[in-house]
Amino acid sequence: MGWTGEQSNVWANNSDANWSYYSSPGVSRAYRDNASLYIKDVAYDCIELQGDLTPAAVNVNVASGKELSFTGDGRLVGGTALHVDCGGTLVVDTANANTGNTVVTTSTLRVTRNGSLGSGSVTLNGATLEVLAADSAEARSVFAGDNANATIKLGVDMTISKGDSDAATAGALYTIGANHT
């Protein structure tokens, strides 16, 4: 399903018809759990999540120089995977409980609320992860993809530990401000 945002900026179960199937473009539909979702070229700068949402995967394409935010009291749950690419910034300001992995390619993922990343691993392919909430990246693996540089920026007190494998952090650049380790 693809995001249309025709009726509002709200993403909720069985709510506003802000999605369409690629097999029937132009026909707006309400969101249903377990769908694979594609969000691209949105008219809004934020999408408000309401309730527990369980898509199979969320693919977000934010154009270079643009920023899109997930906000609201809703959250991604279940095995939802998150994929971000196209050079822009996705700001996740929701407390998610998803277990799927996150892959960011040539883009920036900014997490601003505790639990924003869920509990899956994060892979950065020539991308940036900005952590602005204390436990957003707690107890998870963050990988630099094959032959890709990655940047991790911390805006909170946090310790980065190198894992058991050098490959898990190869190519990563940690940008750490004052009073951060």
Side-chain angles (χ1 to χ4, degrees):
M1 295 181 78
W3 175 262
T4 64
E6 287 182 15
Q7 295 190 0
S8 71
N9 71 329
V10 174
W11 173 7
N13 276 307
N14 301 313
S15 183
D16 294 341
N18 286 320
W19 301 90
S20 71
Y21 291 111
Y22 291 105
S23 59
S24 55
V27 179
S28 294
R29 304 197 186 276
Y31 164 78
R32 302 269 194 270
D33 279 339
N34 301 313
S36 289
L37 306 177
Y38 188 70
I39 300 172
K40 178 182 177 184
D41 299 328
V42 298
Y44 305 101
D45 57 3
C46 74
I47 297 176
E48 180 183 341
L49 280 60
Q50 294 180 354
D52 285 355
L53 304 167
T54 313
V58 181
N59 299 288
V60 182
N61 292 49
V62 182
S64 182
K66 302 281 185 175
E67 186 173 291
L68 172 67
S69 297
F70 286 170
T71 64
D73 292 329
R75 64 188 185 150
L76 299 174
V77 298
T80 302
L82 177 63
H83 303 273
V84 183
D85 64 17
C86 286
T89 299
L90 175 65
V91 179
V92 180
D93 189 29
T94 54
N96 299 309
N98 59 309
T99 58
N101 296 330
T102 298
V103 178
V104 186
T105 303
T106 63
S107 299
T108 297
L109 176 61
R110 183 179 306 133
V111 293
T112 60
R113 188 184 287 191
N114 294 340
S116 291
L117 287 173
S119 61
S121 69
V122 177
T123 300
L124 303 173
N125 295 313
T128 298
L129 172 63
E130 295 180 2
V131 180
L132 304 178
D135 80 345
S136 296
E138 184 175 287
R140 90 184 63 261
S141 297
V142 178
F143 302 96
D146 293 338
N147 300 314
N149 292 320
T151 302
I152 300 173
K153 296 181 180 182
L154 302 177
V156 295
D157 291 334
M158 186 178 288
T159 300
I160 296 177
S161 299
K162 188 173 183 180
D164 292 337
S165 169
D166 288 345
T169 55
L173 167 67
Y174 304 108
T175 304
I176 303 174
N179 300 319
H180 300 99
T181 59

